[in-house]
Amino acid sequence: MHRFPLVLPALAALALALTTGQAMAQASQRNAWRACSGQTGTVVEERAAACSWVIRIAGPNPQQIATAYEFRGMARRALGDRPGAMADYGKALGINPGSASALNGRGVVRMELGLFALALADFEAALRVQPDSPMPLANRGLVFQARGQLDRARADYDAALARDPRHAWALANRCALRARQGEAKGVEDCAAAVEAAGATNGWPFAARAGLRLLRDDREGAEADIAEALRRDRR
C-alpha cells in the first residue's frame, strides 16, 4: 500500500515521455511532409529524401502515400532519374488511378523519353478527370509540337490559356512555338511566362533563352539558362 506514492509518479513520468515522443514524431512527420511537398524551400535532393521518409512512416494513409509518391516522382524527374520517376508515378496511380496530377506527371516523363503515344494517353486521361485543367492541354500541345503537328499544338496552347491566361507553362510553350515560326508575339508570351513563373519553374526562362538565341542575344540567353537551372533545382 505504501508503494503507490512511488509508482504513481513513475507512471506519470512514463505517460509524459510517451506523449512527448508522440508529439515529436508528429512534428517530424509534419516537417517531412512540408519538405516533401516543397513548402520549405529545400533543394530537390532533400525533397526526394523527405518523400521517402513520409512513404515509410505514413502508415494506414493511402492517399498521403500516393501523394508522396507523386512528389517524389517530380523530384526524381528534376534530378534526371526518369526510371525512378516513372516507378513513383506508377505506384501513385496504383493507389489512386484517378489522380490527374499523377497522370500528367507520368505523361511528361513518357514524353521526355519519346514515348509520345503513351504520353498522349496519359494527358487525355488527365483531361477526362479534370476537363477544365490547363496543364494537360499545355503538355499535350508539346507532344503535337514534337510530332510536327503545329496547328494542333497551337490549338492546345490557346485552349489552355483560355482556361488560365497566366498559365506559365502554356505561355512558355506558345512562346517557343511562335519563336520557331518567326512570330514577333513570341516575345510577349515569353515575358508573360517569366512573370507568371513559380519559384521552382525554370521552363519559361529556358523558352526565353531559345528565343534570345534566335535573336543573337547570347548573354541574355546564358542568364536565362542559369536561372532555369537554378529554379529547377529547388
Side-chain angles (χ1 to χ4, degrees), residues 90-161:
K91 289 174 181 175
L93 289 165
I95 298 169
N96 183 7
S99 171
S101 55
L103 286 163
N104 189 71
R106 188 176 67 179
V108 170
V109 179
R110 284 174 160 174
M111 177 175 60
E112 291 174 344
L113 292 170
L115 304 172
F116 295 136
L118 292 173
L120 279 176
D122 277 341
F123 296 142
E124 286 165 2
L127 280 169
R128 285 193 294 273
V129 176
Q130 291 185 343
D132 294 330
S133 175
M135 184 61 87
L137 285 167
N139 285 327
R140 190 177 69 177
L142 279 176
V143 175
F144 289 140
Q145 187 169 335
R147 287 178 157 184
Q149 297 170 283
L150 304 187
D151 289 343
R152 296 187 73 178
R154 171 68 69 88
D156 271 356
Y157 301 151
D158 290 345
L161 290 165

Side-chain angles (χ1 to χ4, degrees), residues 1 153 175:
M1 190 169 65
C175 161

